[in-house]
Amino acid sequence: MTDPHPTALGRRGLLAGAAAAPVLMTLDQARAQGVAPRHGGTLNTMLTPEPPVLVLGVNNQGPTLVSASKIYQGLLKFSPTLEPLPELAKSWTVSEDRRTYTIELQPNVKWHDGRPFTAEDVRFSIMEFHMQLAPRARGVFQRITDVKINGEHSISFTLNAPFEPFLLMFDVTNCAIVPAHIYKGTDFRNNPANARPIGTGPFRFVEWQRGNFIRMRRFDDYWKPGQPYLDEIIYRIIPDSQSRRLALQTGQVQLSQANDIEPFDIPQFETMPNFQVVKTGWEMFAPLSWIEVNQRYDVLKDARFRRAMAHAIDRTFIAQRLWFNTARPATSPIASGTRYHDPNARLPEFNPRAATELLDAMGLRPNAQGIRHSVKLLSLPYGEVWTRLSEYLRQALRQVGIDVTLESTDAGGWVRRLANWEYELTVNFVYQYGDPSLGVARTYISSNIQKIPFTNTSGYSNPEVDRLFDEAQTEPDPAKRAELFKQVQAKLIADMPLLWTIELLFPTVHDRRLRNVIQLGTGVHACFDDVFFAA
């Protein structure tokens, strides 16, 4: 029975897939505008840095999410306003008590190896694969108390209590559906099939030349008739930022995404008539960047020292002068585009004098060289702008007597050091996934202090913050959740466990002939089954 009182997730979309408001251009609309989809062509694009693997769940770093979302699919996809739309789920209903979700699946879907897609694949993916591999998914899916397979293409999940953002978990970036017949009973992380991923998406894996390119080809048995339109997608591995810019300018690639193009190069592309620069498509993720502070070290465990560092950093300068307005200054631990952001929240203002006063109060007096304390900062190896950020932070903190030694490593080394707590300070950015219970709480709750990347690796612990996040997760009333998250933001700002800096916009730059690139709230993480080159 359909819930007569849907939540703020999307009044129409939450209740039934058939009722979700369409946001994608129909074929008739496209033809009326003279841009009817046509078949053919190879999309050349980029990945920065090269992903370690292409199996979502086994790895959930940004480059993996961007590329593997063409191979795998989720049950749902989401509009820019985060209304759920059908993908592998054809429709869905929610019981009156908001605990049971019944999902009808698309018929005639095949895996890339020809096997049929069934409800057992969905059950396995949720209850075994992601439950084991993904701490954030596990925290949500542990709420499931009963699973019923109603037939080959129907499945029901019953929760222990209402959980308002439950449907948001079913985007491909949160919970890709994987083939049970490939993974069941195996070591998921070391399954040989990880080298040649098998999904239901419009493009099948063909070839990966490490350090060079990843090739995907049109899946001829794709379940949407006549799609995809592209013949191939090739992800070029181009480590150097200047080479990436030139590859886009000269037409060697037709699409950039995420941090492929450095922010300081974006203004030039905005003036070029053959390119389109789009600053939407990250509504689901709302990436928020911060300086992560390992609170197991010396004075870093003192909130006064963390606040002093926050006062020394000019967030507006970072957004405008380093990111060239492809970022916004952070205002809260919850990004401004995410539900339950408190617009009245205020982070410490840029005020070096306030910083020195706090350091004086701690007894950290400057020595003959003006140094009060020394720290190490592990740079984020995701491009030149992040290196520039680290250099700016060194200069800014030096102005208040904090000496910073910069450390560097590659992407894999950075993840390992983050996971093993082998850093003092580091720069990070994390996706918020549309709701604080999904993408924010994991960074701060003490039960999530783990040696796993993108958990509470800083070691922050506040029982009151734990309680508020816990209550907000189980509260079905959006108004009450809003009040709980308002209190969370106030307490986090008081404690300053992290130094929040900017909200990333990540512009997408593409050849104007390429159509339908950014349509969803997940942007370039869509499966691209309707992307095509106009004549």
Side-chain angles (χ1 to χ4, degrees):
M1 189 170 182
T2 301
D3 179 3
H5 303 293
T7 71
L9 175 59
R11 303 287 182 179
R12 296 182 302 276
L14 175 60
L15 299 181
V23 298
L24 307 184
M25 182 182 291
T26 66
L27 292 182
D28 288 340
Q29 289 171 330
R31 292 190 180 99
Q33 296 181 25
V35 289
R38 69 183 186 94
H39 289 92
T42 295
L43 170 59
N44 285 275
T45 181
M46 300 178 276
L47 276 182
T48 308
E50 185 171 19
V53 69
L54 288 178
V55 181
L56 294 175
V58 173
N59 180 269
N60 287 326
Q61 289 177 265
T64 308
L65 298 179
V66 167
S67 54
S69 54
K70 314 304 175 281
I71 298 171
Y72 296 96
Q73 293 179 297
L75 292 175
L76 302 173
K77 55 190 177 185
F78 289 84
S79 77
T81 55
L82 302 190
E83 295 276 359
L85 301 167
E87 190 76 306
L88 288 176
K90 184 177 181 180
S91 64
W92 56 95
T93 56
V94 185
S95 63
E96 287 187 3
D97 64 3
R98 286 178 276 187
R99 292 179 54 225
T100 299
Y101 293 72
T102 298
I103 300 171
E104 304 301 324
L105 303 174
Q106 301 283 1
N108 304 316
V109 177
K110 292 182 179 179
W111 294 101
H112 294 163
D113 62 0
R115 295 281 291 271
F117 159 77
T118 69
E120 172 57 20
D121 295 307
V122 175
R123 185 209 66 78
F124 169 78
S125 298
I126 293 171
M127 302 307 297
E128 297 184 47
F129 190 81
H130 292 288
M131 186 80 83
Q132 176 177 320
L133 293 176
R136 187 171 59 81
R138 185 185 311 125
V140 175
F141 295 150
Q142 283 177 341
R143 300 171 180 276
I144 298 171
T145 57
D146 186 52
V147 181
K148 290 183 179 178
I149 292 180
N150 309 313
E152 282 197 354
H153 300 106
S154 180
I155 190 168
S156 298
F157 297 95
T158 298
L159 309 183
N160 56 7
F163 183 61
E164 188 197 8
F166 186 61
L167 287 181
L168 282 168
M169 285 301 299
F170 294 120
D171 176 74
V172 64
T173 59
N174 284 319
C175 182
I177 304 303
V178 300
H181 67 277
I182 296 293
Y183 284 99
K184 188 180 294 186
T186 72
D187 177 352
F188 302 150
R189 292 191 185 278
N190 297 300
N191 189 309
N194 292 347
R196 299 189 64 84
I198 294 172
T200 60
F203 298 93
R204 59 182 179 83
F205 174 84
V206 174
E207 181 183 10
W208 187 348
Q209 290 189 12
R210 291 278 179 177
N212 193 0
F213 66 84
I214 299 168
R215 185 188 303 273
M216 304 174 188
R217 188 165 295 152
R218 183 185 197 275
F219 180 42
D220 291 333
D221 288 330
Y222 184 53
W223 56 276
K224 293 185 184 180
Q227 292 179 249
Y229 301 117
L230 297 171
D231 290 332
E232 286 189 333
I233 298 178
I234 299 176
Y235 284 95
R236 305 283 180 185
I237 311 303
I238 309 176
D240 177 68
S241 63
Q242 183 176 1
S243 298
R244 293 194 297 271
R245 175 177 57 80
L246 289 173
L248 188 59
Q249 285 180 324
T250 58
Q252 296 175 55
V253 300
Q254 298 84 42
L255 169 68
S256 76
Q257 55 247 317
N259 59 314
D260 288 340
I261 300 300
E262 299 287 358
F264 44 79
D265 287 325
I266 293 298
Q268 180 181 9
F269 282 100
E270 290 178 318
T271 67
M272 295 178 168
N274 54 323
F275 288 104
Q276 185 169 359
V277 178
V278 185
K279 296 182 181 179
T280 57
W282 293 85
E283 292 82 5
M284 169 71 81
F285 307 110
L288 180 63
S289 184
W290 57 63
I291 303 166
E292 184 149 329
V293 184
N294 190 336
Q295 296 174 40
R296 303 167 186 86
Y297 285 87
D298 197 14
V299 299
L300 299 182
K301 64 183 66 174
D302 192 319
R304 294 174 297 173
F305 189 81
R306 301 193 296 269
R307 183 168 294 274
M309 289 193 292
H311 277 305
I313 296 166
D314 188 343
R315 298 186 299 277
T316 299
F317 175 89
I318 294 171
Q320 294 180 354
R321 300 294 295 278
L322 297 183
W323 261 262
F324 286 78
N325 294 314
T326 62
R328 290 186 290 258
T331 59
S332 165
I334 297 178
S336 60
T338 298
R339 293 192 304 153
Y340 304 116
H341 165 79
D342 180 7
N344 298 314
R346 293 290 182 270
L347 296 180
E349 63 181 353
F350 174 54
N351 188 339
R353 176 173 291 184
T356 58
E357 290 173 353
L358 282 167
L359 296 171
D360 285 342
M362 292 179 64
L364 296 175
R365 300 289 180 176
N367 62 16
Q369 289 74 43
I371 304 301
R372 299 169 181 268
H373 193 74
S374 297
V375 295
K376 297 176 181 178
L377 172 64
L378 177 63
S379 297
L380 183 65
Y382 273 26
E384 185 176 343
V385 71
W386 297 101
T387 301
R388 293 186 182 189
L389 173 62
S390 292
E391 292 169 349
Y392 163 74
L393 294 173
R394 177 171 60 181
Q395 295 170 10
L397 292 173
R398 182 63 178 81
Q399 294 300 311
V400 299
I402 301 174
D403 181 60
V404 177
T405 299
L406 298 183
E407 300 179 308
S408 62
T409 184
D410 60 13
W414 178 83
V415 169
R416 286 191 296 273
R417 288 188 60 177
L418 176 71
N420 291 325
W421 310 339
E422 295 171 355
Y423 65 95
E424 293 184 12
L425 306 178
T426 190
V427 176
N428 198 355
F429 68 86
V430 169
Y431 295 164
Q432 308 223 337
Y433 292 105
D435 189 281
S437 291
L438 300 181
V440 180
R442 57 176 169 158
T443 304
Y444 307 103
I445 55 175
S446 57
S447 60
N448 207 33
I449 297 175
Q450 304 183 64
K451 286 196 171 183
I452 297 174
F454 313 116
T455 60
N456 183 354
T457 44
S458 75
Y460 170 70
S461 179
N462 182 328
E464 182 64 8
V465 168
D466 289 345
R467 181 189 66 80
L468 290 167
F469 271 122
D470 185 62
E471 288 188 18
Q473 287 194 31
T474 56
E475 175 55 61
D477 185 344
K480 292 180 181 178
R481 293 190 82 214
E483 176 56 33
L484 290 166
F485 286 128
K486 180 179 180 179
Q487 294 179 49
V488 162
Q489 290 166 85
K491 290 188 178 299
L492 289 175
I493 292 172
D495 288 350
M496 291 300 297
L498 310 174
L499 313 183
W500 305 279
T501 53
I502 53 174
E503 299 177 3
L504 299 162
L505 301 180
F506 282 143
T508 301
V509 185
H510 65 84
D511 188 311
R512 284 190 179 274
R513 296 173 301 158
L514 194 64
R515 303 300 179 91
N516 289 346
V517 178
I518 305 297
Q519 302 186 84
L520 299 172
T522 54
V524 292
H525 301 82
C527 69
F528 278 20
D529 60 6
D530 54 358
V531 170
F532 66 97
F533 282 104

